[in-house]
């Protein structure tokens, strides 16, 4: 049985890429898309060419196509509404849209438990970015201070990036109290970036960039730099495809591709 899947935000940069990736999978069937731009979109991938019907009404599409999974790459202002509609209808969710707060995630988890279904919420679906977070977590045991520089295309609506926020969380658990005090003392200097859980994050937005993260650790006499670059949106697709397949086995919400990889035995 193929996993019937729909995509919200299908006419966007990520949505189109996800649609192309999904139609290549023999055990997934892309049955429709939702976007504010209500047009059918041509999707080409390898030797497959198809037209995907796009609607503006998620509830109607769910009713019509009875999907198992919704993949959402929309906008921070609309993602929670889409997730609520899907989970209430018993449709599992794979969420790539960034800007999901911890209280949003708790709500998603509560809905999953109530409906005995699953969701995956990941601010970054690339394996390299997950490794960056893991390596930063390890390094933070050995360094007193860290700062993050995240660089994205100029149309990204949120800052700091979800990946930078999650990396700061990974660092926070290990970082020595001394560095947090240093960061707190700099609160009145906007040019020093935003203090997130004791780590300064600097956001750069420029045309030409895709998604780039650098974590710089410092201590007396040495610097360690860990950097990841997504050079094309294809870098996110293996993670999205894995999530569509793995979410079918979940009865709770999972936060982060790292957690999903652990659950599915890859890490
Ligand atoms: P985009 O602006 O190119 O596309 C968003 C699309 O969503 C647009 O076509 C828009 O019309 C549509 N949309 C907005 N509200 C909608 C709604 N209520 N219902 C249906 N469609 C709606 O943006 P993008 O570059 O594709 O990024 C989308 C999101 O994905 C952002 O939050 C971005 O940060 C995130 N992102 C996540 C990852 C990851 O790995 N998790 C990677 C890249 C981007």
């Amino acid at each position: 049985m193929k996993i019937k899947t729909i995509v919200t935000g299908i006419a966007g940069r990520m949505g189109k890429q996800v649609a192309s990736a999904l139609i290549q999978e023999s055990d997934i069937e892309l049955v429709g898309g939702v976007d504010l731009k209500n047009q059918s979109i041509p999707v080409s991938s390898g030797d497959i060419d198809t037209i995907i019907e796009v609607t503006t009404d998620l509830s109607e599409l769910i009713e019509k196509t009875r999907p198992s999974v919704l993949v959402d790459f929309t906008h921070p202002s609309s993602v929670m509404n889409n997730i609520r509609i899907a989970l209430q209808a018993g449709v599992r969710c794979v969420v790539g849209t960034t800007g999901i707060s911890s209280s949003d995630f708790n709500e998603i988890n509560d809905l999953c438990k109530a409906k005995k279904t699953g969701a995956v919420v990941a601010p970054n679906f690339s394996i390299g970015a997950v490794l960056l977070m893991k390596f930063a977590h390890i390094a933070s045991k050995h360094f007193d201070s860290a700062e993050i520089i995240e660089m994205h295309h100029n149309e990204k609506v949120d800052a700091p990036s979800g990946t930078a926020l999650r990396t700061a969380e990974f660092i926070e658990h290990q970082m020595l109290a001394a560095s947090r005090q240093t960061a707190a003392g700099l609160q009145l200097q906007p040019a020093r970036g935003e203090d997130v859980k004791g780590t300064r994050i600097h956001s750069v937005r420029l045309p030409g960039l895709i998604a780039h993260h650098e974590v710089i650790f410092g201590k007396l006499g040495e610097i360690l730099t860990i950097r990841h670059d997504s050079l094309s949106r294809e870098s996110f697709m293996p993670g999205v495809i894995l999530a569509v397949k793995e979410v079918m086995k979940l009865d709770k919400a999972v936060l982060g591709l790292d957690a999903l990889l652990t659950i599915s035995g890859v890490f």
Side-chain angles (χ1 to χ4, degrees):
M1 276 266 286
K2 290 190 178 197
I3 305 168
K4 286 169 85 177
T5 303
I6 58 174
V7 178
T8 36
I10 196 165
R13 286 172 289 249
M14 284 298 288
K16 281 184 197 149
Q17 190 79 54
V18 169
S20 298
L22 291 176
I23 63 168
Q24 284 182 48
E25 294 298 309
S26 56
D27 43 0
I28 296 175
E29 184 184 2
L30 176 59
V31 293
V34 181
D35 205 288
L36 302 178
K37 300 165 197 159
N38 182 16
Q39 296 163 337
S40 299
I41 58 160
V43 181
S44 296
S45 189
D47 53 1
I48 305 170
D49 290 307
T50 185
I51 303 280
I52 302 296
E53 293 302 320
V54 180
T55 169
T56 53
D57 191 329
L58 176 58
S59 301
E60 198 180 85
L61 184 67
I62 290 174
E63 187 68 35
K64 192 172 144 196
T65 60
R66 302 268 168 206
S68 298
V69 178
L70 162 79
V71 181
D72 189 287
F73 281 93
T74 56
H75 191 275
S77 63
S78 50
V79 57
M80 281 307 292
N81 195 39
N82 292 341
I83 295 169
R84 287 184 197 109
I85 291 171
L87 289 177
Q88 296 285 8
V91 179
R92 294 161 188 275
C93 291
V94 171
V95 182
T97 306
T98 49
I100 301 272
S101 67
S102 49
S103 69
D104 290 336
F105 181 76
N106 290 340
E107 183 188 338
I108 296 168
N109 201 24
D110 288 346
L111 271 170
C112 284
K113 285 180 180 162
K115 288 283 174 183
K116 295 188 172 48
T117 192
V120 175
V121 178
N124 199 315
F125 274 108
S126 90
I127 183 75
V130 169
L131 290 173
L132 169 121
M133 291 182 226
K134 279 225 161 231
F135 296 154
H137 180 71
I138 295 168
S140 62
K141 294 176 191 167
H142 306 284
F143 283 81
D144 319 333
S145 301
E147 304 217 357
I148 299 170
I149 304 172
E150 58 97 343
M151 293 163 277
H152 285 82
H153 60 89
N154 56 325
E155 288 177 24
K156 183 170 175 61
V157 289
D158 54 324
S161 69
T163 307
L165 291 170
R166 190 139 167 81
T167 306
E169 278 171 20
F170 270 69
I171 291 173
E172 184 210 20
H173 298 303
Q174 300 294 342
M175 192 63 78
L176 299 174
S179 67
R180 285 200 281 275
Q181 282 159 14
T182 310
L186 295 169
Q187 266 165 10
L188 296 178
Q189 298 176 332
R192 292 284 294 106
E194 184 178 337
D195 182 351
V196 177
K197 298 181 184 289
T199 300
R200 294 261 143 192
I201 303 181
H202 310 263
S203 297
V204 178
R205 297 289 176 266
L206 285 172
L209 293 167
I210 302 271
H212 315 260
H213 292 87
E214 202 166 280
V215 191
I216 308 171
F217 289 92
K219 66 196 271 195
L220 271 185
E222 61 179 317
I223 289 288
L224 170 68
T225 303
I226 305 169
R227 180 173 169 127
H228 176 257
D229 297 275
S230 273
L231 302 174
S232 92
R233 291 182 177 85
E234 285 173 351
S235 63
F236 304 113
M237 296 307 119
V240 173
I241 298 297
L242 176 80
V244 170
K245 294 177 183 175
E246 291 294 318
V247 79
M248 294 299 294
K249 304 173 194 162
L250 298 176
D251 57 2
K252 62 177 181 177
V254 169
L255 180 61
L257 183 61
D258 53 299
L260 187 69
L261 290 170
T262 304
I263 290 170
S264 54
V266 179
F267 271 179

